Amino acid sequence: MKKSLFFVASAALAVTVLSPGSASAIDVGEQKNFLSPSACSGGDFKFTFRFNSNGGGAYRKLGYQHGNFAATEIQVGVDPYTAPLTFCSGTGNGAGEGIKNNAASVTNAHTSYGGFVYYKSWWQGAYDSVQPARPTPVSKNLVNTYNENASFKWG
């Protein structure tokens, strides 16, 4: 009886942990922003942060909202860890620097969604908005979040 009760309890726990509706500590979109090759090459990710004004310097592309550029939660294998989101290596002035509080300009190439860059983590405080790319990508220097940016969200 003890073995079957243990088996039932273990199976229930596995279903709870593995079911698609269960909450996860890791934000899959943020993990993709961090790990995907599209962040530094290709056209899959549509929002680009630049280190310098006027679209200059190093860049990093985002495809998903990101709540805290300084502490992205990542899990590869067994152990989770946090890491800052950085400008792509080899892409110009500012490469390897953290994006948080270092972006001066952005480009939105998404044709359906505008982008919002926030002063604080978790989409708080002042923000800059960038309209959808209709018909061409929209680039602008950040004003309210110039070198003071901590999160991003599609809108």
Side-chain angles (χ1 to χ4, degrees):
M1 179 70 174
K2 282 187 177 181
K3 279 188 178 179
S4 61
L5 185 57
F6 176 75
F7 176 75
V8 170
S10 297
L13 179 61
V15 168
T16 302
V17 171
L18 300 176
S19 68
S22 62
S24 171
I26 305 297
D27 183 307
V28 175
E30 289 187 7
Q31 185 165 288
K32 288 179 181 179
N33 283 338
F34 189 87
L35 297 172
S36 176
S38 294
C40 294
S41 64
D44 292 340
F45 287 1
K46 303 296 183 187
F47 202 88
T48 307
F49 284 83
R50 290 287 192 160
F51 187 76
N52 294 126
S53 298
N54 303 316
Y59 66 84
R60 175 108 193 180
K61 299 178 181 184
L62 273 65
Y64 301 88
Q65 71 180 19
H66 213 98
N68 183 356
F69 295 156
T72 305
E73 295 177 341
I74 306 296
Q75 183 161 359
V76 179
V78 178
D79 297 322
Y81 62 96
T82 59
L85 198 61
T86 59
F87 289 101
C88 300
S89 64
T91 61
N93 184 37
E97 294 288 326
I99 290 177
K100 184 172 184 177
N101 298 335
N102 282 319
S105 59
V106 294
T107 299
N108 185 8
H110 203 295
T111 58
S112 298
Y113 298 104
F116 293 85
V117 178
Y118 289 87
Y119 183 85
K120 294 183 179 181
S121 296
W122 309 113
W123 315 290
Q124 301 293 313
Y127 63 88
D128 283 295
S129 62
V130 186
Q131 67 189 35
R134 293 187 192 137
T136 58
V138 177
S139 297
K140 69 183 275 184
N141 290 334
L142 296 172
V143 176
N144 299 316
T145 61
Y146 179 88
N147 287 341
E148 292 290 342
N149 47 289
S151 58
F152 166 76
K153 187 178 256 189
W154 292 109

